[in-house]
């Protein structure tokens, strides 16, 4: 069993990026912690239309956020 990740319970940044989406789907919810909250490598194998692009987007947003913070930018994008 998995718990769906509700977009309203995520960071301000993710709420903006995923505007119009209420929750992550099953595969996205399962890998959310690894994709958005860790630096671990991922290999995602899933059928077309399963949500792999949004998983990639989670990792991209994390890297952008990390780099903004590492440059001591005061822009608060949420965590």
């Amino acid at each position: 069993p998995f718990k769906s990740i509700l977009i309203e319970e995520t960071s301000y940044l993710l709420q903006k990026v995923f505007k119009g989406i209420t929750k992550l789907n099953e595969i996205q919810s399962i890998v959310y912690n690894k994709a958005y909250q860790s630096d671990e490598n991922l290999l995602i194998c899933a059928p077309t239309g399963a949500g792999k692009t949004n998983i990639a987007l989670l990792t991209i947003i994390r890297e952008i956020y990390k780099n903004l913070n590492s440059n001591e930018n005061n822009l608060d994008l949420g965590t």
Side-chain angles (χ1 to χ4, degrees):
F2 74 97
K3 179 184 180 286
S4 290
I5 302 295
L6 301 177
I7 297 300
E8 66 185 22
E9 294 176 357
T10 64
S11 69
Y12 172 80
L13 178 59
L14 285 183
Q15 290 176 34
K16 292 297 183 188
V17 170
F18 289 103
K19 183 178 181 182
I21 298 174
T22 57
K23 65 181 181 178
L24 297 179
N25 70 18
E26 183 175 358
I27 188 74
Q28 295 161 353
S29 294
I30 290 170
V31 302
Y32 173 78
N33 286 335
K34 299 286 184 193
Y36 189 64
Q37 299 178 338
S38 82
D39 288 326
E40 293 186 42
N41 293 326
L42 297 173
L43 174 62
I44 306 295
C45 300
T48 300
K52 297 180 299 287
T53 301
N54 282 349
I55 294 170
L57 188 54
L58 288 170
T59 64
I60 292 165
I61 294 166
R62 174 173 169 73
E63 286 302 312
I64 291 170
Y65 179 75
K66 280 177 22 186
N67 285 297
L68 284 172
N69 282 340
S70 68
N71 291 329
E72 298 182 19
N73 188 328
N74 290 328
L75 181 62
D76 181 15
L77 300 175
T79 56

